[in-house]
Amino acid sequence: MSKSSPNSVSGDTRCRKCRRAGEKLYLKGARCYSKKCAIERRNYAPGQHGPNARPAKPTDYGKQLREKQKMRQMYRVLEGPFRAYVAEASRRRGVTGENLLQLLEMRLDNVVFRLGFSTSRAQARQLVSHGHLLVNGKPVDIPSYQVRPGDTITIAEGSRRMSVIQDALSGVGSRIPTWLSLDAHQFTGKIVAAPRRDEVDSQVQEQVIIEFYSR
């Protein structure tokens, strides 16, 4: 698995999605936190008329669709599974929108990214699929696997020297959310608690998405 493979494909396409949305969707992971981010350099819609384009006034449906697509793109979830997440969020107690965000945040691939074992969710998905992660000491290769508070996520012993993991951990800084803990020396992270809404930095209007599916 090469260092550049997970992020080299369709990189410009991901940046165009952020520019079209007018905000960071964090589709390129660590790059989105740097000055190299497309939104930092060119915060206008893609295309030759981008800088001077007059934005159309969105309808309520358009706003809902945009938020739904934005969240799907951020967490890299197809429409079918995303609908299933919405249905599950509706069945749970509490605020449906926050339940949805919590379900997506507690996917294994997202947790791997949040812990700093990868530089993007795309890369995290690949690491999980290729069998480089253990959950509570057992190998798990399903990116959508739902972790729970108390679970321990560990990089497999034979994968710890991989450059993509070493490079990701070297640049993780202070981006670990409060609902997770990381021991970088042991290549281990732990789910301290289920994330609260104020602990998730995803800039989405989750309740608008619920309205979209409630039409």
Side-chain angles (χ1 to χ4, degrees):
M1 177 176 170
S2 67
K3 175 181 176 180
S4 60
S5 58
N7 288 321
S8 61
V9 180
S10 302
D12 290 341
T13 300
R14 293 199 291 271
C15 289
R16 287 170 68 88
K17 288 178 180 178
C18 292
R19 289 172 59 201
R20 188 172 294 113
E23 60 187 275
K24 295 185 181 187
L25 303 183
Y26 298 95
L27 302 179
K28 297 187 74 174
R31 184 186 179 94
C32 301
Y33 291 92
S34 73
K35 293 182 179 180
K36 294 181 180 179
C37 174
I39 291 295
E40 299 287 348
R41 295 182 290 115
R42 293 174 292 174
N43 190 10
Y44 51 80
Q48 63 181 14
H49 302 298
N52 303 312
R54 297 177 62 183
K57 186 176 180 179
T59 63
D60 288 342
Y61 173 81
K63 292 177 182 177
Q64 294 169 355
L65 178 63
R66 173 180 166 178
E67 287 299 307
K68 187 262 290 189
Q69 295 295 79
K70 186 168 69 174
M71 183 178 268
R72 277 191 50 226
Q73 290 165 1
M74 286 176 62
Y75 290 98
R76 303 181 63 82
V77 179
L78 296 176
E79 179 63 28
F82 193 81
R83 281 180 176 272
Y85 280 124
V86 173
E88 175 60 25
S90 298
R91 287 192 290 267
R92 295 189 174 193
R93 292 182 178 180
V95 180
T96 303
E98 294 183 11
N99 290 343
L100 173 61
L101 194 57
Q102 188 178 92
L103 284 166
L104 293 168
E105 280 291 307
M106 297 190 76
R107 284 172 54 102
L108 179 57
D109 55 357
N110 179 74
V111 171
V112 169
F113 166 62
R114 292 292 194 191
L115 283 169
F117 292 146
S118 68
T119 58
S120 69
R121 290 185 178 91
Q123 193 180 79
R125 185 184 186 93
Q126 200 170 65
L127 288 172
V128 175
S129 297
H130 290 184
H132 299 298
L133 275 299
L134 307 177
V135 178
N136 299 327
K138 298 180 180 179
V140 176
D141 59 4
I142 303 171
S144 62
Y145 179 86
Q146 285 282 304
V147 298
R148 298 179 179 181
D151 284 352
T152 300
I153 316 299
T154 309
I155 299 294
E157 185 75 32
S159 306
R160 297 180 181 183
R161 294 183 179 274
M162 292 175 59
S163 59
V164 289
I165 296 173
Q166 294 279 350
D167 291 349
L169 284 172
S170 68
V172 70
S174 59
R175 289 191 287 107
I176 306 299
T178 54
W179 56 280
L180 298 174
S181 66
L182 171 69
D183 185 339
H185 297 293
Q186 297 297 321
F187 296 88
T188 298
K190 187 172 183 178
I191 316 300
V192 177
R196 301 190 310 271
R197 181 62 184 95
D198 60 1
E199 295 176 305
V200 179
D201 63 2
S202 298
Q203 300 300 311
V204 293
Q205 300 178 56
E206 60 274 3
Q207 214 51 44
V208 171
I209 298 169
I210 301 305
E211 293 171 7
F212 175 85
Y213 285 102
S214 300
R215 289 177 299 108

